[in-house]
Amino acid sequence: MAFASRVLRVAPEPAVRSSVAVLVVIGEIDAVTVDSFRHELISFVDAHDDDVIVDMSDVRLIVAAGVRALLRTADHLSGSGRRLRLVCGPEVQRTLHAARVADVLEVFERRSAAVGAQHAALHRAAASPVLDGQQPEEVDRLRREVADLRAKLRTRPLMAHALGILRERYRLADEETARRLLGESSQRFNVKMRVLADALVNAPRPTSVDAALWFPGRTRLPAPRSVLTPVDRGRGLTPRTLLASLLDAALSCTGATAGCVHHVEHGTEELRLERHQGLTAELVEVLAHVLGGEVPCAVALRDRSSVVVPDVAAHPALAGHPVQGLMVRAGVRAVRSTPVLTPSGQCLAVVSTCHPRAGHVPTADELARLEALAAEAGRWLQWHQRTTVLDALEHLHQRAREQAEPAAPPPRRVGSTVHPPRQRRPDHSSAHHRLPTPEAPASTIRPASGGR
């Protein structure tokens, strides 16, 4: 495998940078060369501050580890607002489509098209100045694209795992069938595909694929009553709308001017921003995904107890963290994060309230009210996990059984010898099985020449 890097010069434009970084890859990205590819890719990306183009038009093979390296590079670039653009031939494009990452990565057939797209993006950014303190439209659009990209990158391994389980367990014809069945159950029970896929991966296997029920003997309990779940909205309530109600109630009872609520990702302990109010776009971007660290919501998740930060600017645990400066610039001077715990002690969400005055500490009544709201939300979320999500899995089990292909016949036993199932011999006299003739050869093999 050969690597080369070059900088293409484009026609100078006012206020637009005139160079585009391109990494040219030549050869096959296989099990032997994938480590070199990954190293060269990381080194090249770290050496440039702008968007990056990887020209793989002369690559005929890329293994899964190479695709994974591209995905991680795209995620890494998106964290700093940059983009990865790929130039691929038909062989690599087929691999990307088979791995279902073509919609995540920005792919072009020709290098000139990728350079043109990058040049156009730079020109649009230069033509969108900041006016009256407002964020330009191009920056807002880029932020939305980056958020969508990172969400897809995070959920893709989980979805691939769930679809693989469905295909193997129920002998489904292809991945499209598995995806369609998962989508049907998701829509029928109003459960996000990501949540349903996570439940499928982590739930115990059915006793048998042919079993009528996945969870026999399960008792379906009614939804718990709560001030967060009004009677007229109970039937259409989802975890997302419940957490939105929780945030509204928390802001109301504490008098906070801003706040947010995070959902806890099962298995990873990552906090994913579900809803926010009164926060700046930069702060929302940083809080969109929180994994560990000393951010108040992460500490509340880790300790399973409320966290009060009376002065964000002077809090030693936040010193040097990007969120500290963003909070201060956004007018957030005090924060309280409260975990949403189930009766069994599992943390499913964290709600945070933000105050503009340093030194603010909630009163005892406010704390008690906030703890009660979080407990009510925890009871409902636990019920949803044990009822609605399991209902969706049960429906998925039924539909997958209907779509399952018949199992292969068992081998024949003759005496003490086991023979594989007998295959039908092809009927070469049929018009559909004619032997190739000299006028219509089955395939043509061309000898390799010394040059192209």
Side-chain angles (χ1 to χ4, degrees):
M1 170 185 277
F3 297 92
S5 64
R6 61 184 71 171
V7 177
L8 300 182
R9 291 293 170 182
V10 298
E13 295 284 344
V16 176
R17 288 161 288 184
S18 61
S19 62
V20 177
V22 180
L23 176 67
V24 180
V25 186
I26 304 172
E28 294 184 346
I29 306 176
D30 54 19
V32 177
T33 59
V34 68
D35 288 338
S36 298
F37 170 68
R38 186 185 301 111
H39 173 74
E40 294 287 345
L41 184 60
I42 294 173
S43 300
F44 187 79
V45 167
D46 290 343
H48 295 83
D49 298 327
D50 302 321
D51 294 356
V52 171
I53 295 175
V54 177
D55 188 347
M56 304 172 60
S57 54
D58 289 326
V59 174
R60 299 291 177 263
L61 170 70
I62 181 170
V63 295
V67 176
R68 194 174 298 114
L70 292 173
L71 288 171
R72 289 175 177 171
T73 301
D75 186 36
H76 171 69
L77 287 170
S78 69
S80 56
R82 294 187 288 164
R83 306 284 287 274
L84 173 67
R85 295 179 173 89
L86 300 180
V87 183
C88 305
E91 295 89 349
V92 174
Q93 287 193 36
R94 281 194 293 268
T95 301
L96 297 180
H97 280 286
R100 299 196 175 277
V101 298
D103 61 330
V104 174
L105 300 173
E106 196 170 350
V107 180
F108 300 85
E109 295 183 357
R110 297 182 306 277
R111 185 193 301 176
S112 59
V115 173
Q118 189 152 322
H119 185 64
L122 292 173
H123 183 75
R124 289 194 304 270
S128 302
V130 178
L131 298 176
D132 298 329
Q134 299 297 317
Q135 292 294 335
E137 180 181 350
E138 176 67 20
V139 175
D140 290 339
R141 184 185 66 82
L142 179 59
R143 284 197 177 114
R144 289 193 298 269
E145 291 180 0
V146 168
D148 292 342
L149 172 63
R150 303 191 81 169
K152 288 181 179 179
L153 290 172
R154 282 180 167 85
T155 59
R156 188 162 298 280
L158 172 64
M159 292 299 300
H161 190 186
L163 295 177
I165 290 176
L166 277 177
R167 286 196 64 188
E168 179 274 332
R169 181 178 296 173
Y170 297 99
R171 304 184 300 275
L172 299 179
D174 49 41
E175 187 174 302
E176 284 300 326
T177 302
R179 186 181 297 274
R180 176 174 56 81
L181 295 176
L182 192 66
E184 288 178 0
S185 297
S186 169
Q187 292 182 359
R188 181 184 179 96
F189 292 90
N190 203 11
V191 176
K192 289 184 177 181
M193 283 189 66
R194 171 182 51 81
V195 175
L196 190 56
D198 180 77
L200 172 66
V201 169
N202 291 284
R205 293 176 61 96
T207 55
S208 171
V209 174
D210 299 324
L213 295 175
W214 187 343
F215 307 100
R218 177 170 64 101
T219 302
R220 198 179 189 283
L221 300 175
R225 287 290 185 89
S226 166
V227 295
L228 300 172
T229 58
V231 176
D232 58 339
R233 293 179 53 195
R235 291 183 59 84
L237 196 67
T238 66
R240 183 180 182 86
T241 56
L242 176 97
L243 292 178
S245 297
L246 172 63
L247 177 60
D248 293 341
L251 295 177
S252 176
C253 77
T254 60
T257 57
C260 62
V261 60
H262 286 83
H263 172 79
V264 180
E265 295 285 351
H266 182 272
T268 64
E269 292 288 283
E270 181 182 28
L271 288 165
R272 179 175 51 80
L273 186 63
E274 195 68 47
R275 188 178 176 87
H276 60 87
Q277 184 172 322
L279 303 179
T280 61
E282 293 85 359
L283 188 55
V284 169
E285 187 174 353
V286 171
L287 295 176
H289 295 274
V290 179
L291 181 61
E294 296 302 319
V295 179
C297 56
V299 177
L301 169 62
R302 182 187 65 208
D303 297 343
R304 301 300 197 265
S305 62
S306 297
V307 174
V308 177
V309 179
D311 190 348
V312 171
H315 195 59
L318 291 177
H321 196 287
V323 76
Q324 184 183 47
L326 292 174
M327 282 184 172
V328 172
R329 287 195 292 273
V332 176
R333 304 305 302 271
V335 178
R336 173 185 171 83
S337 293
T338 304
V340 176
L341 303 176
T342 67
S344 59
Q346 181 185 9
C347 184
L348 299 181
V350 177
V351 59
S352 301
T353 54
C354 306
H355 302 266
R357 181 175 59 84
H360 175 85
V361 177
T363 66
D365 290 340
E366 290 175 347
L367 291 178
R369 179 62 177 153
L370 195 54
E371 295 286 351
L373 289 171
E376 290 184 6
R379 285 192 294 272
W380 190 92
L381 291 172
Q382 179 174 272
W383 168 86
H384 184 267
Q385 279 188 342
R386 297 181 176 182
T387 305
T388 307
V389 175
L390 294 188
D391 289 345
L393 287 180
E394 197 70 79
H395 177 266
L396 179 62
H397 174 68
Q398 304 295 336
R399 295 286 291 120
R401 287 178 59 219
E402 297 170 1
Q403 298 290 323
E405 292 187 338
R412 297 181 298 111
R413 178 178 295 275
V414 179
S416 60
T417 305
V418 177
H419 299 273
R422 182 174 297 173
Q423 304 291 328
R424 283 188 64 182
R425 297 175 63 86
D427 182 6
H428 294 294
S429 63
S430 169
H432 299 287
H433 294 87
R434 290 177 180 172
L435 293 174
T437 63
E439 292 78 15
S443 61
T444 303
I445 301 177
R446 298 180 181 177
S449 59
R452 297 182 64 180

